Amino acid sequence: MNDNEQKPVTIIVGRVWRKKGGESEGVHVMLVAPDDDSAVRMALEALAREGYAEAELDQIGDMQDAPDVEPHMSAYQGALEGEVSIVTFDEIF
């Protein structure tokens, strides 16, 4: 990849808790970062700023294509614009 190419959007999948011992939510964090370690650090910092007390991050990878459904479509666009985008959802067990 040369310097002019856009880095891919990284997605991190896991669970978050607003309160320790409370109910968990599923989370997808989308961002552009220079490497996986930076992506995880940026994601954890953003989650803390949003008031999450705990996070368990399970998977990380680069997205191949833009999503075509909301709220992921907007989160992806936000990531391309330099934001750390957070999508939470109820977990299904």
Side-chain angles (χ1 to χ4, degrees):
M1 179 181 301
N2 69 39
D3 292 339
N4 296 330
E5 290 182 38
Q6 174 71 35
K7 292 193 182 307
V9 172
T10 298
I11 185 168
I12 302 174
V13 178
R15 299 185 320 162
V16 291
W17 291 262
R18 289 262 180 209
K19 296 186 309 185
K20 289 187 179 196
E23 293 285 321
S24 66
E25 298 175 82
V27 68
H28 292 163
V29 181
M30 295 181 203
L31 64 140
V32 175
D35 55 57
D36 287 354
D37 289 338
S38 297
V40 169
R41 180 184 42 78
M42 292 167 64
L44 290 172
E45 289 171 354
L47 290 165
R49 280 192 306 274
E50 292 296 317
Y52 291 98
E54 292 186 83
E56 181 180 286
L57 305 178
D58 299 322
Q59 296 180 338
I60 186 170
D62 292 335
M63 297 185 69
Q64 300 301 312
D65 296 307
D68 57 1
V69 295
E70 291 295 351
H72 290 83
M73 190 166 54
S74 294
Y76 183 90
Q77 185 60 40
L80 290 176
E81 294 171 4
E83 298 174 10
V84 177
S85 300
I86 300 169
V87 177
T88 58
F89 50 91
D90 291 334
E91 294 181 288
I92 300 172
F93 293 102

